[in-house]
Amino acid sequence: MGNLFLREKERWGLWSFWGVVGAMLTTYVAMATKAPLYITLAAMCVVILVSSWMLYSKRYDFLRALKVTAYVLFVSVLPALTLLIIPATKQQRGELIMQSVLFALIALIGCVVCALIAKRPKQYY
């Protein structure tokens, strides 16, 4: 029956660890390439890795998986975005805002897909 009345405590230390690992990976990619596409792919690779582990353990419903994947993605991308936004000039700010909005949409779609993959299968009794 799963956890019908028992709520599991979220392990934020573990998710923060994966976020820091993703932050180191995306910061390395951002410093090496400065291409938003590669930064997005590096961050999404960490989210896909986390969601595949969540699928393997089969203990996460959709909203919990979405919350975890969004948190890991946010922690992973934050240092890389600051590396790109702070040195930008005023002419580049418009393009950076457009890229940030596009990244947010791609990240939201990616988190929803990963949460759908990671959710616990239905149990029939």
Side-chain angles (χ1 to χ4, degrees):
M1 278 228 319
N3 295 336
L4 190 57
F5 298 109
L6 176 67
R7 292 192 52 106
E8 289 186 41
K9 281 188 90 172
E10 201 60 64
R11 300 182 313 192
W12 291 108
L14 176 68
W15 307 130
S16 297
F17 169 75
W18 280 110
V20 169
V21 168
M24 290 190 299
L25 179 68
T26 55
T27 302
Y28 174 74
V29 169
M31 292 175 77
T33 63
K34 294 200 187 297
L37 176 65
Y38 294 131
I39 295 169
T40 306
L41 288 177
M44 287 307 294
C45 284
V46 174
V47 171
I48 289 171
L49 183 69
V50 167
S51 67
S52 65
W53 179 80
M54 291 166 64
L55 174 67
Y56 174 73
S57 67
K58 294 181 181 173
R59 296 183 312 181
Y60 297 90
D61 59 344
F62 174 73
L63 289 177
R64 186 176 172 201
L66 181 64
K67 181 173 52 172
V68 168
T69 54
Y71 176 75
V72 170
L73 185 71
F74 175 74
V75 172
S76 296
V77 168
L78 194 61
L81 284 180
T82 57
L83 274 174
L84 292 177
I85 290 174
I86 290 172
T89 62
K90 289 194 182 228
Q91 289 92 12
Q92 295 173 338
R93 294 266 165 105
E95 181 182 341
L96 258 161
I97 290 172
M98 194 64 179
Q99 287 177 354
S100 297
V101 168
L102 183 64
F103 169 76
L105 287 174
I106 290 172
L108 180 66
I109 291 169
C111 284
V112 167
V113 168
C114 286
L116 282 171
I117 290 171
K119 74 177 182 172
R120 167 177 58 229
K122 286 187 178 181
Q123 298 175 350
Y124 298 103
Y125 297 102

